[in-house]
Amino acid sequence: MRVLGIPGSVRQDSHNRKLLRAAAAALPSGVELELWERLAALPHFDEDLEAGPAPDSVQQMRDAIAAADAVLIATPEYNAGIPGVLKNALDWASRPFAAHPLRDKPVAVVGASTGLFGAVWAQAEVRRVAAHIGADVVERELPLGLADGAFDAGGALSDPAQAEALAAVLDELVGRVRERVAETA
Amino acid sequence: MATATEPLSGTYAVDAVHSSFGFAVKYMGVTTFKGTLDDVDATLTVGPDGASLEGAANVESISIRTPEQFRQHVLGDDFFAADAHPQVTFRSDSVELADDGTATVVGQLTIRDVAKTVTATGTWSPEAELFGSRKAALAISTVIDRTDYGLDWNADLPTGGKALANDVTLTIELTLLAQGAGQEA
């Protein structure tokens, strides 16, 4: 099973990228997490660009989503909302609307911020947008606040309760994929 | 209540290194955030007519240093409005230092120019010789409603409830240095 991890921040030292790495290490055996970190390479969504073939970065993202069994998005929060680069990626990923790669795809959302509230509002917004697009959205959240001190030297979450909460999100995401496999078997 | 002012007498100033004004507030329903105002000044005066306590803490000395946006939010108008109200102050109406080591301090706590009567309880320690000076201690605590003082910020959590509790536990820990004037008493 393959989970595509998309950090909603393009910053080199992004806490959300770290959170995805912690998630990768916490996934059950047999489940791999692949990071897709090219949000900055996507052009601004523009219907005019849809007239021709999709821009390379867009096609690459759509292919990566299509090839994955599930998607895990780790979002920061800017001004109590979803980062522009991430919304842009979701807008590109949602086209063409009837047959885009996120349709029915299991999606979970986690988030880290350096403030107290762990991007809880951005996570809710990403879940809302992903559900609107037609993804199969896990309703659990993981608000990882005070992210500057949240990871240990090995990159794992230092707070056992937060590690457990992350594991619960991953369990549910992986469970969604397994249900599908069971249904089609 | 029997009080014992005998072991403390005269004027005491705080030992700034070992004194703090702490606060603790629940956020996201279950987690507690703790911080301190480290720059505390206070004077305890114990005379024949009883004791009195006056003190102030500088808001700028708040232990939230980073991230910048978090600090600015807490120092800004949603919370302390530190530019206009740089200090939190306290002036006692009564100080009871009981024989059993308990302390009850009633007085006016002023935050953002709002003065309200609070009752703080805790413990006190009689004078002891330490590193060549005479020290005593007072540790008291109370719970206030931050919205009484105009620290009103809040937000609805996406999954219900409020981001930040209104009740704030204040914990004042003072190490008190006997001043020269009181030593003959």
Side-chain angles (χ1 to χ4, degrees):
Chain A
M1 188 188 302
R2 194 142 58 116
V3 176
L4 188 70
I6 302 179
S9 163
V10 297
R11 190 168 69 91
Q12 204 57 48
D13 199 26
S14 154
H15 295 299
N16 282 285
R17 189 171 298 153
K18 288 181 197 160
L19 182 53
L20 287 177
R21 292 206 183 102
L27 279 167
S29 67
V31 184
E32 275 177 28
L33 188 121
E34 180 197 338
L35 281 184
W36 198 83
E37 305 182 84
R38 298 198 58 217
L39 293 194
L42 299 171
H44 294 152
F45 177 72
D46 180 351
E47 284 191 65
D48 287 344
L49 293 179
E50 293 188 301
D56 285 350
S57 54
V58 171
Q59 193 55 52
Q60 203 191 55
M61 178 181 68
R62 288 176 178 158
D63 291 346
I65 294 171
D69 298 294
V71 174
L72 178 64
I73 296 170
T75 184
E77 182 172 87
Y78 302 153
N79 299 314
I82 180 172
V85 285
L86 181 55
K87 180 61 166 55
N88 186 52
L90 291 169
D91 291 340
W92 274 119
S94 68
R95 308 284 283 182
F97 196 71
H100 64 75
L102 277 174
R103 188 163 287 285
D104 289 328
K105 184 78 63 181
V107 170
V109 184
V110 292
S113 78
T114 51
L116 279 189
F117 301 107
V120 70
W121 291 283
Q123 288 177 61
E125 229 175 287
V126 174
R127 289 198 305 274
R128 184 179 60 76
V129 170
H132 177 82
I133 288 170
D136 177 16
V137 180
V138 169
E139 272 309 310
R140 271 178 199 279
E141 61 193 10
L142 177 76
L144 182 70
L146 303 172
D148 281 325
F151 299 93
D152 67 21
L157 291 174
S158 4
D159 179 348
Q162 285 173 333
E164 221 170 277
L166 175 61
V169 172
L170 299 175
D171 269 0
E172 194 163 335
L173 184 65
V174 168
R176 295 273 173 107
V177 179
R178 288 194 173 135
E179 276 168 27
R180 283 149 189 264
V181 174
E183 278 166 18
T184 54
Chain B
M1 190 190 294
T3 56
T5 51
E6 270 303 311
L8 294 186
S9 167
T11 303
Y12 298 81
V14 296
D15 168 352
V17 176
H18 298 108
S19 299
S20 66
F21 178 101
F23 59 89
V25 58
K26 278 208 161 77
Y27 67 101
M28 301 184 83
V30 287
T31 314
T32 301
F33 180 75
K34 290 182 182 179
T36 50
L37 306 183
D38 294 324
D39 185 1
V40 176
D41 192 17
T43 304
L44 177 74
T45 309
V46 184
D49 300 327
S52 67
L53 177 68
E54 263 186 56
N58 282 323
V59 177
E60 287 274 350
S61 70
I62 198 161
S63 53
I64 303 165
R65 312 254 179 243
T66 59
E68 181 64 9
Q69 195 173 338
F70 187 8
R71 178 177 173 82
Q72 291 311 326
H73 191 204
V74 170
L75 295 182
D77 278 349
D78 282 338
F79 291 96
F80 285 103
D83 282 348
H85 310 287
Q87 288 194 322
V88 170
T89 62
F90 180 80
R91 178 186 293 267
S92 69
D93 297 321
S94 72
V95 175
E96 282 185 47
L97 305 171
D99 288 340
D100 64 359
T102 59
T104 304
V105 179
V106 180
Q108 303 298 308
L109 176 67
T110 304
I111 306 174
R112 288 187 69 143
D113 265 350
V114 178
K116 294 196 80 80
T117 302
V118 298
T119 300
T121 56
T123 59
W124 67 281
S125 309
E127 264 186 34
E129 189 86 17
L130 190 66
F131 305 123
S133 47
R134 292 186 297 123
K135 295 192 178 189
L138 180 65
I140 51 175
S141 175
T142 189
V143 177
I144 62 166
D145 181 334
R146 65 187 174 90
T147 63
D148 288 345
Y149 297 88
L151 283 72
D152 285 332
W153 181 87
N154 220 328
D156 292 324
L157 290 173
T159 48
K162 290 285 182 188
L164 196 62
N166 289 345
D167 279 354
V168 180
T169 301
L170 302 180
T171 306
I172 293 93
E173 309 224 26
L174 303 175
T175 295
L176 299 155
L177 284 169
Q179 301 299 287
Q183 288 186 7
E184 295 152 17

